[in-house]
Amino acid sequence: MRRDTPIVTLVNEHLRITIIGLNYAPEPTGNAPYTTSLADGLAAAGHSISVITGYPHYPEWKLKQGYTGWKRLEVLGGVNVKRLRHFIPKKPRVLQRMHMELSFGLRAILASWECPDVVLVVSPGLFSSAMAILRARLSPRRPRVVIWVQDIYSRGVVETGAGGRRLGVLMSKTESLILRSADAVVAIHDRFQQYMVEYLGVPEKRIRVIRNWTHLPASPTSGLHAFRTRMGWSPEDVVVLHAGNMGKKQGLENVVDAAALAATRESRVRFVLMGNGNQRPKLEALAKQDARLEFVDTLPDDQFQRALAAADVLLVNELPGVKDMAVPSKLTSYFNSGVAVVAATDEGSVTASEIQASGSGITVPAGAPDKLLSAIEALTADPDKCRQMGRNGLHFRQVTLSASAAIAQYDEFLARLASQRSL
């Protein structure tokens, strides 16, 4: 779109920012904690923040109890939150997720935006983001619009096997068009930026890399033995904890198979899958009554942190073929715990690069349960090595994944972008 109006500088440093995204607190995992933390941080910095979001449904893919009606207004942490009811699929396949995004997007573009200087839209939520970008472009005040990319949408379609080659090509073209239509793009990893430039044709000068951060306070160091006892984890157990969503891209059948091997070998390794997701019922059916595998519901924040700190190893598990689509959000929480990480992932994946950069653990091939179990047994046989990896991860969290540093980058970036707004 050609712009003939002059560029002006805003006098007021305190901005009106509208954040539009499907997920927000009280959802405990995925994008919601980051969107919530950013909104809180920008509000604390003195900006006027409005959030347009959906009704809580993730990771269960089920409407959270107590949320009724078609619209709900809340004030959370000094942030005005407008919740809009939308379609929630029971099985989040490609078409069903598109239906959800479009139903939310339609309601979002018809809602009041409070005359923002900047609109920040969050993807996943690619199609609802596209609708928001279109409204922003057609607005008489023409706010600057930023798309915050948490996952590469088109890679997810291909890497999870959700669609064939033709759908992958179509999604790449669509994603490219949407990203290029925004005034700026925030990527959460250098690899995302590289992919957007090389494969999606987004101009590099319009992309800003700002890493996701650890949104949790310092991990507890006391009461861990009592917590293990309460959870039924014996001192002899080598507890390997996977925390977070149980979806398709996690490929957790690999963990079910590794647990069966552990039982056959009479190994001390005990796998714990903590959280929820659309694949959990299937995994529970596969596991049956396996003595070396346990399912635990999502815990409150303080207990969640205690569970991470009380484990012997923290696990990232990915479906074979998942390489570029996402940076697992659980890694920021894992690094915060000071516990060694094992990642079952493809060589050269974003996850593998994070483990290598942080020095926080080891990687094993995705979809190889025997190698996963053997690697965990070998690693935990060397407690000093485990402790050093845990310290490395904590150092990486403190230096690279600081919440205050990330939110300060957003503050500066959005202010600079708003100062170029056409009026």
Side-chain angles (χ1 to χ4, degrees), residues 83-94:
R83 297 191 186 275
L84 305 174
R85 187 75 172 266
H86 54 84
F87 170 73
I88 300 173
K90 292 182 180 179
K91 296 183 178 180
R93 300 189 178 100
V94 173

Side-chain angles (χ1 to χ4, degrees), residues 255-401:
V255 178
V256 174
D257 292 340
L261 281 175
T264 300
R265 295 183 191 176
E266 298 184 351
S267 172
R268 293 171 54 218
V269 173
R270 175 176 185 160
F271 292 93
V272 178
L273 299 180
M274 183 173 73
N276 215 319
N278 66 297
Q279 295 295 302
R280 177 168 170 170
K282 175 184 175 182
L283 295 168
E284 289 178 321
L286 287 173
K288 298 179 181 178
Q289 299 297 320
D290 196 323
R292 308 312 296 169
L293 177 62
E294 177 185 4
F295 291 83
V296 176
D297 291 337
T298 303
L299 297 174
D301 283 348
D302 59 334
Q303 297 302 301
F304 172 79
Q305 286 187 265
R306 205 168 293 280
L308 296 186
D312 297 291
V313 172
L314 298 174
L315 175 64
V316 179
N317 194 88
E318 294 181 330
L319 188 72
V322 171
K323 295 185 70 171
D324 296 311
M325 66 175 289
V327 181
S329 59
K330 61 174 60 67
L331 277 177
T332 56
S333 300
Y334 283 8
F335 294 155
N336 191 58
S337 71
V339 174
V341 180
V342 173
T345 184
D346 281 357
E347 184 179 0
S349 69
V350 175
T351 298
S353 71
E354 285 293 276
I355 298 299
Q356 181 178 5
S358 63
S360 62
I362 60 173
T363 61
V364 298
D370 54 337
K371 293 182 179 179
L372 174 61
L373 179 60
S374 296
I376 291 168
E377 290 174 331
L379 176 62
T380 54
D382 188 345
D384 290 338
K385 185 176 183 179
C386 279
R387 283 191 288 269
Q388 183 57 53
M389 287 179 171
R391 287 193 290 268
N392 292 345
L394 186 57
H395 178 74
F396 188 77
R397 169 258 186 273
Q398 292 168 340
V399 173
T400 307
L401 305 178

Side-chain angles (χ1 to χ4, degrees), residues 227-264:
F227 181 87
R228 284 179 66 106
T229 300
R230 190 162 64 251
M231 294 296 292
W233 304 340
S234 75
E236 292 75 30
D237 285 333
V238 174
V239 176
V240 180
L241 175 64
H242 177 282
N245 185 42
M246 301 182 201
K248 189 168 183 179
K249 72 182 179 183
Q250 282 75 34
L252 292 169
E253 294 84 356
N254 183 52
V255 178
V256 174
D257 292 340
L261 281 175
T264 300

Side-chain angles (χ1 to χ4, degrees), residues 24 104 148 158 179 214 255 289 347 351 356:
Y24 201 76
F104 171 71
W148 183 10
V158 174
L179 295 182
T214 299
V255 178
Q289 299 297 320
E347 184 179 0
T351 298
Q356 181 178 5

